[in-house]
mmCIF file of all heavy atoms in Angstrom:
data_model
loop_
_atom_site.group_PDB
_atom_site.id
_atom_site.type_symbol
_atom_site.label_atom_id
_atom_site.label_comp_id
_atom_site.label_asym_id
_atom_site.label_seq_id
_atom_site.Cartn_x
_atom_site.Cartn_y
_atom_site.Cartn_z
ATOM 1 N N GLN A 19 -8.105 7.944 -16.621
ATOM 2 C CA GLN A 19 -8.684 8.520 -15.398
ATOM 3 C C GLN A 19 -9.800 7.603 -14.913
ATOM 4 O O GLN A 19 -10.738 7.303 -15.642
ATOM 5 C CB GLN A 19 -9.217 9.935 -15.657
ATOM 6 C CG GLN A 19 -9.686 10.586 -14.361
ATOM 7 C CD GLN A 19 -9.781 12.096 -14.436
ATOM 8 O OE1 GLN A 19 -9.687 12.681 -15.508
ATOM 9 N NE2 GLN A 19 -9.961 12.725 -13.283
ATOM 10 N N GLU A 20 -9.680 7.156 -13.665
ATOM 11 C CA GLU A 20 -10.667 6.221 -13.098
ATOM 12 C C GLU A 20 -11.803 6.959 -12.406
ATOM 13 O O GLU A 20 -12.957 6.558 -12.493
ATOM 14 C CB GLU A 20 -9.981 5.313 -12.065
ATOM 15 C CG GLU A 20 -8.809 4.497 -12.575
ATOM 16 C CD GLU A 20 -9.257 3.240 -13.293
ATOM 17 O OE1 GLU A 20 -10.466 2.941 -13.294
ATOM 18 O OE2 GLU A 20 -8.381 2.573 -13.872
ATOM 19 N N THR A 21 -11.451 7.971 -11.634
ATOM 20 C CA THR A 21 -12.423 8.755 -10.857
ATOM 21 C C THR A 21 -11.898 10.198 -10.888
ATOM 22 O O THR A 21 -10.825 10.455 -11.426
ATOM 23 C CB THR A 21 -12.497 8.268 -9.386
ATOM 24 O OG1 THR A 21 -11.318 8.709 -8.706
ATOM 25 C CG2 THR A 21 -12.620 6.762 -9.261
ATOM 26 N N PRO A 22 -12.627 11.150 -10.272
ATOM 27 C CA PRO A 22 -12.120 12.526 -10.322
ATOM 28 C C PRO A 22 -10.695 12.690 -9.801
ATOM 29 O O PRO A 22 -9.992 13.610 -10.215
ATOM 30 C CB PRO A 22 -13.128 13.290 -9.441
ATOM 31 C CG PRO A 22 -14.401 12.505 -9.584
ATOM 32 C CD PRO A 22 -13.980 11.067 -9.683
ATOM 33 N N ASP A 23 -10.242 11.824 -8.896
ATOM 34 C CA ASP A 23 -8.873 12.015 -8.379
ATOM 35 C C ASP A 23 -8.012 10.753 -8.423
ATOM 36 O O ASP A 23 -7.015 10.663 -7.707
ATOM 37 C CB ASP A 23 -8.909 12.588 -6.950
ATOM 38 C CG ASP A 23 -9.655 11.687 -5.978
ATOM 39 O OD1 ASP A 23 -10.189 10.655 -6.421
ATOM 40 O OD2 ASP A 23 -9.700 12.015 -4.782
ATOM 41 N N VAL A 24 -8.347 9.821 -9.274
ATOM 42 C CA VAL A 24 -7.548 8.591 -9.385
ATOM 43 C C VAL A 24 -7.258 8.297 -10.863
ATOM 44 O O VAL A 24 -8.161 8.363 -11.696
ATOM 45 C CB VAL A 24 -8.280 7.381 -8.769
ATOM 46 C CG1 VAL A 24 -7.500 6.084 -9.003
ATOM 47 C CG2 VAL A 24 -8.488 7.592 -7.263
ATOM 48 N N TRP A 25 -6.006 7.979 -11.132
ATOM 49 C CA TRP A 25 -5.585 7.653 -12.494
ATOM 50 C C TRP A 25 -4.857 6.309 -12.493
ATOM 51 O O TRP A 25 -4.182 5.968 -11.526
ATOM 52 C CB TRP A 25 -4.618 8.714 -13.028
ATOM 53 C CG TRP A 25 -5.274 10.000 -13.388
ATOM 54 C CD1 TRP A 25 -5.654 10.407 -14.631
ATOM 55 C CD2 TRP A 25 -5.618 11.090 -12.498
ATOM 56 N NE1 TRP A 25 -6.219 11.662 -14.575
ATOM 57 C CE2 TRP A 25 -6.218 12.112 -13.283
ATOM 58 C CE3 TRP A 25 -5.501 11.292 -11.134
ATOM 59 C CZ2 TRP A 25 -6.677 13.308 -12.744
ATOM 60 C CZ3 TRP A 25 -5.966 12.480 -10.581
ATOM 61 C CH2 TRP A 25 -6.547 13.466 -11.391
ATOM 62 N N THR A 26 -4.982 5.583 -13.613
ATOM 63 C CA THR A 26 -4.213 4.361 -13.797
ATOM 64 C C THR A 26 -3.180 4.592 -14.892
ATOM 65 O O THR A 26 -3.517 5.026 -15.997
ATOM 66 C CB THR A 26 -5.124 3.180 -14.174
ATOM 67 O OG1 THR A 26 -5.940 2.845 -13.049
ATOM 68 C CG2 THR A 26 -4.304 1.950 -14.553
ATOM 69 N N LEU A 27 -1.907 4.328 -14.554
ATOM 70 C CA LEU A 27 -0.821 4.428 -15.535
ATOM 71 C C LEU A 27 -0.526 3.022 -16.031
ATOM 72 O O LEU A 27 -0.221 2.131 -15.231
ATOM 73 C CB LEU A 27 0.434 5.013 -14.890
ATOM 74 C CG LEU A 27 0.360 6.490 -14.484
ATOM 75 C CD1 LEU A 27 -0.232 6.646 -13.095
ATOM 76 C CD2 LEU A 27 1.748 7.111 -14.512
ATOM 77 N N ALA A 28 -0.649 2.836 -17.334
ATOM 78 C CA ALA A 28 -0.359 1.525 -17.940
ATOM 79 C C ALA A 28 1.057 1.554 -18.470
ATOM 80 O O ALA A 28 1.422 2.415 -19.281
ATOM 81 C CB ALA A 28 -1.349 1.242 -19.059
ATOM 82 N N LEU A 29 1.885 0.635 -18.001
ATOM 83 C CA LEU A 29 3.319 0.656 -18.283
ATOM 84 C C LEU A 29 3.736 -0.554 -19.106
ATOM 85 O O LEU A 29 3.205 -1.657 -18.917
ATOM 86 C CB LEU A 29 4.105 0.633 -16.958
ATOM 87 C CG LEU A 29 3.676 1.645 -15.894
ATOM 88 C CD1 LEU A 29 4.476 1.415 -14.619
ATOM 89 C CD2 LEU A 29 3.863 3.065 -16.398
ATOM 90 N N LEU A 30 4.706 -0.318 -19.967
ATOM 91 C CA LEU A 30 5.304 -1.403 -20.736
ATOM 92 C C LEU A 30 6.703 -1.640 -20.217
ATOM 93 O O LEU A 30 7.475 -0.689 -20.050
ATOM 94 C CB LEU A 30 5.422 -0.997 -22.202
ATOM 95 C CG LEU A 30 4.203 -1.185 -23.084
ATOM 96 C CD1 LEU A 30 4.512 -0.633 -24.465
ATOM 97 C CD2 LEU A 30 3.819 -2.651 -23.168
ATOM 98 N N CYS A 31 7.011 -2.907 -19.970
ATOM 99 C CA CYS A 31 8.370 -3.254 -19.553
ATOM 100 C C CYS A 31 8.928 -4.191 -20.608
ATOM 101 O O CYS A 31 8.277 -5.184 -20.952
ATOM 102 C CB CYS A 31 8.344 -3.940 -18.184
ATOM 103 S SG CYS A 31 9.974 -4.368 -17.597
ATOM 104 N N HIS A 32 10.105 -3.874 -21.127
ATOM 105 C CA HIS A 32 10.623 -4.694 -22.216
ATOM 106 C C HIS A 32 11.325 -5.939 -21.707
ATOM 107 O O HIS A 32 11.609 -6.838 -22.477
ATOM 108 C CB HIS A 32 11.530 -3.848 -23.116
ATOM 109 C CG HIS A 32 10.755 -2.747 -23.773
ATOM 110 N ND1 HIS A 32 9.758 -2.987 -24.696
ATOM 111 C CD2 HIS A 32 10.766 -1.416 -23.591
ATOM 112 C CE1 HIS A 32 9.219 -1.838 -25.075
ATOM 113 N NE2 HIS A 32 9.802 -0.867 -24.406
ATOM 114 N N ASP A 33 11.574 -5.996 -20.411
ATOM 115 C CA ASP A 33 12.091 -7.228 -19.828
ATOM 116 C C ASP A 33 10.933 -7.942 -19.149
ATOM 117 O O ASP A 33 9.853 -7.392 -19.012
ATOM 118 C CB ASP A 33 13.186 -6.910 -18.805
ATOM 119 C CG ASP A 33 14.349 -6.215 -19.465
ATOM 120 O OD1 ASP A 33 14.835 -6.736 -20.473
ATOM 121 O OD2 ASP A 33 14.732 -5.136 -18.985
ATOM 122 N N GLN A 34 11.243 -9.167 -18.688
ATOM 123 C CA GLN A 34 10.150 -9.917 -18.076
ATOM 124 C C GLN A 34 10.034 -9.571 -16.594
ATOM 125 O O GLN A 34 10.853 -10.024 -15.779
ATOM 126 C CB GLN A 34 10.339 -11.406 -18.266
ATOM 127 C CG GLN A 34 9.021 -12.095 -18.035
ATOM 128 C CD GLN A 34 9.028 -13.517 -18.503
ATOM 129 O OE1 GLN A 34 10.082 -14.094 -18.735
ATOM 130 N NE2 GLN A 34 7.842 -14.091 -18.612
ATOM 131 N N TYR A 35 9.070 -8.766 -16.285
ATOM 132 C CA TYR A 35 8.862 -8.323 -14.910
ATOM 133 C C TYR A 35 7.883 -9.286 -14.240
ATOM 134 O O TYR A 35 6.812 -9.557 -14.765
ATOM 135 C CB TYR A 35 8.272 -6.914 -14.924
ATOM 136 C CG TYR A 35 8.142 -6.282 -13.555
ATOM 137 C CD1 TYR A 35 9.260 -5.825 -12.881
ATOM 138 C CD2 TYR A 35 6.894 -6.138 -12.955
ATOM 139 C CE1 TYR A 35 9.146 -5.234 -11.635
ATOM 140 C CE2 TYR A 35 6.765 -5.547 -11.707
ATOM 141 C CZ TYR A 35 7.899 -5.097 -11.054
ATOM 142 O OH TYR A 35 7.782 -4.514 -9.812
ATOM 143 N N ARG A 36 8.256 -9.791 -13.086
ATOM 144 C CA ARG A 36 7.399 -10.774 -12.409
ATOM 145 C C ARG A 36 6.801 -10.173 -11.148
ATOM 146 O O ARG A 36 7.485 -9.481 -10.407
ATOM 147 C CB ARG A 36 8.219 -12.006 -12.015
ATOM 148 C CG ARG A 36 8.715 -12.784 -13.200
ATOM 149 C CD ARG A 36 9.400 -14.062 -12.752
ATOM 150 N NE ARG A 36 10.023 -14.707 -13.890
ATOM 151 C CZ ARG A 36 9.364 -15.431 -14.776
ATOM 152 N NH1 ARG A 36 8.063 -15.629 -14.631
ATOM 153 N NH2 ARG A 36 9.987 -15.973 -15.800
ATOM 154 N N TRP A 37 5.537 -10.450 -10.946
ATOM 155 C CA TRP A 37 4.903 -10.057 -9.694
ATOM 156 C C TRP A 37 3.749 -10.994 -9.415
ATOM 157 O O TRP A 37 3.351 -11.784 -10.279
ATOM 158 C CB TRP A 37 4.430 -8.606 -9.752
ATOM 159 C CG TRP A 37 3.144 -8.343 -10.496
ATOM 160 C CD1 TRP A 37 1.914 -8.144 -9.946
ATOM 161 C CD2 TRP A 37 2.958 -8.231 -11.915
ATOM 162 N NE1 TRP A 37 0.981 -7.906 -10.932
ATOM 163 C CE2 TRP A 37 1.595 -7.952 -12.141
ATOM 164 C CE3 TRP A 37 3.794 -8.344 -13.029
ATOM 165 C CZ2 TRP A 37 1.057 -7.787 -13.429
ATOM 166 C CZ3 TRP A 37 3.266 -8.181 -14.294
ATOM 167 C CH2 TRP A 37 1.925 -7.900 -14.489
ATOM 168 N N ARG A 38 3.277 -10.947 -8.196
ATOM 169 C CA ARG A 38 2.133 -11.760 -7.785
ATOM 170 C C ARG A 38 0.966 -10.828 -7.513
ATOM 171 O O ARG A 38 1.164 -9.695 -7.042
ATOM 172 C CB ARG A 38 2.475 -12.562 -6.528
ATOM 173 C CG ARG A 38 3.566 -13.589 -6.797
ATOM 174 C CD ARG A 38 4.217 -14.032 -5.512
ATOM 175 N NE ARG A 38 3.290 -14.689 -4.622
ATOM 176 C CZ ARG A 38 3.507 -14.877 -3.318
ATOM 177 N NH1 ARG A 38 4.626 -14.452 -2.771
ATOM 178 N NH2 ARG A 38 2.618 -15.492 -2.573
ATOM 179 N N ALA A 39 -0.221 -11.331 -7.790
ATOM 180 C CA ALA A 39 -1.411 -10.484 -7.606
ATOM 181 C C ALA A 39 -1.453 -9.971 -6.175
ATOM 182 O O ALA A 39 -1.365 -10.756 -5.217
ATOM 183 C CB ALA A 39 -2.664 -11.287 -7.924
ATOM 184 N N GLY A 40 -1.574 -8.651 -6.020
ATOM 185 C CA GLY A 40 -1.643 -8.041 -4.695
ATOM 186 C C GLY A 40 -0.339 -7.402 -4.257
ATOM 187 O O GLY A 40 -0.322 -6.655 -3.280
ATOM 188 N N GLN A 41 0.758 -7.669 -4.958
ATOM 189 C CA GLN A 41 2.049 -7.097 -4.538
ATOM 190 C C GLN A 41 2.179 -5.633 -4.965
ATOM 191 O O GLN A 41 1.403 -5.136 -5.778
ATOM 192 C CB GLN A 41 3.197 -7.911 -5.132
ATOM 193 C CG GLN A 41 3.403 -9.239 -4.431
ATOM 194 C CD GLN A 41 4.704 -9.889 -4.860
ATOM 195 O OE1 GLN A 41 4.958 -10.086 -6.049
ATOM 196 N NE2 GLN A 41 5.545 -10.224 -3.888
#
Side-chain angles (χ1 to χ4, degrees):
Q19 186 161 11
E20 302 279 354
T21 74
D23 59 357
V24 175
W25 286 262
T26 291
L27 291 86
L29 311 176
L30 276 176
C31 181
H32 296 294
D33 298 309
Q34 198 167 16
Y35 186 74
R36 293 186 188 281
W37 78 101
R38 295 161 62 197
Q41 285 191 306

